[in-house]
Amino acid sequence: MLLNFPDGSRFEGETRNGEMYGYGIYYSADGIRCIGCFQNGNLNGKGMIISPDGGTMMGNFINNVLDKYGCFIAPDGTEYYGQIKNNEMHGSGIFIFEGGAPNIGKFRKNELVESYGASRQVVKQPKVSNYSPQRTRKNGVGIGLGSVIFASTVLGKLVKNTTKRKRF
């Protein structure tokens, strides 16, 4: 079924009582796509959100929030695979800078707090992400533990734009 909303967004997929319910694809008016299982108008279960700039969030969603496990892929090519809590890297995971070595370890609220083995390698700072090392910075290259902030403003707005919608 096709649901069209007043703001120009639309949903193609299964519905129940005029709401997004079951498998489908939601297209926001500003170009964001949400693909997956919907329940009561929210993305619930396995799904994917793709921003217009190419940023992607995949994994387990609970009421439009990425939680438990998943991955983030930023437009610049940086990637994170692992445990996630409330749309943040939280728990064990792997963060890979564009063309760089992986940072493997434990994350807490998007910050690498404990590293394992390969994560002690020198990694290149990503082009549009911000890496703030807690330790040495040599020739513009971060070494060791630190926090990562994606520069894509769209990724931070993705879930806010996938609010519960009803057919009018």
Side-chain angles (χ1 to χ4, degrees):
M1 174 168 233
L2 176 64
L3 299 176
N4 290 304
F5 302 103
D7 67 356
S9 61
R10 72 183 195 280
F11 175 77
E12 296 175 7
E14 300 170 358
T15 62
R16 181 186 286 176
N17 299 324
E19 291 185 342
M20 302 181 290
Y21 199 100
Y23 182 78
I25 304 173
Y26 169 79
Y27 301 89
S28 76
D30 54 358
I32 296 170
R33 288 179 290 160
C34 302
I35 304 164
C37 296
F38 291 82
Q39 188 175 36
N40 299 321
N42 293 314
L43 193 56
N44 277 290
K46 293 180 183 175
M48 176 175 10
I49 298 176
I50 305 167
S51 70
D53 66 1
T56 304
M57 298 167 62
M58 294 181 278
N60 186 65
F61 287 86
I62 300 172
N63 293 322
N64 293 334
V65 176
L66 192 57
D67 207 51
K68 296 185 180 178
Y69 61 87
C71 73
F72 298 109
I73 302 172
D76 69 346
T78 55
E79 304 172 26
Y80 172 79
Y81 301 90
Q83 294 176 318
I84 295 173
K85 183 176 181 181
N86 296 322
N87 286 336
E88 294 181 324
M89 299 178 287
H90 195 88
S92 298
I94 301 170
F95 186 89
I96 305 168
F97 288 114
E98 177 191 19
N103 268 337
I104 304 167
K106 284 198 176 192
F107 293 80
R108 186 174 299 125
K109 295 188 175 190
N110 285 337
E111 188 174 322
L112 180 64
V113 294
E114 183 180 339
S115 61
Y116 311 133
S119 62
R120 297 234 180 245
Q121 296 178 25
V122 174
V123 294
K124 294 180 182 178
Q125 182 177 359
K127 291 179 184 174
V128 297
S129 294
N130 182 19
Y131 175 62
S132 303
Q134 294 173 345
R135 296 187 2 201
T136 311
R137 187 168 193 82
K138 186 175 181 180
N139 298 327
V141 176
I143 302 172
L145 303 178
S147 60
V148 178
I149 301 167
F150 288 108
S152 172
T153 57
V154 176
L155 278 175
K157 297 177 184 175
L158 288 175
V159 174
K160 292 177 188 172
N161 289 333
T162 58
T163 57
K164 184 176 177 181
R165 297 180 181 267
K166 289 188 175 184
R167 188 175 182 185
F168 291 90

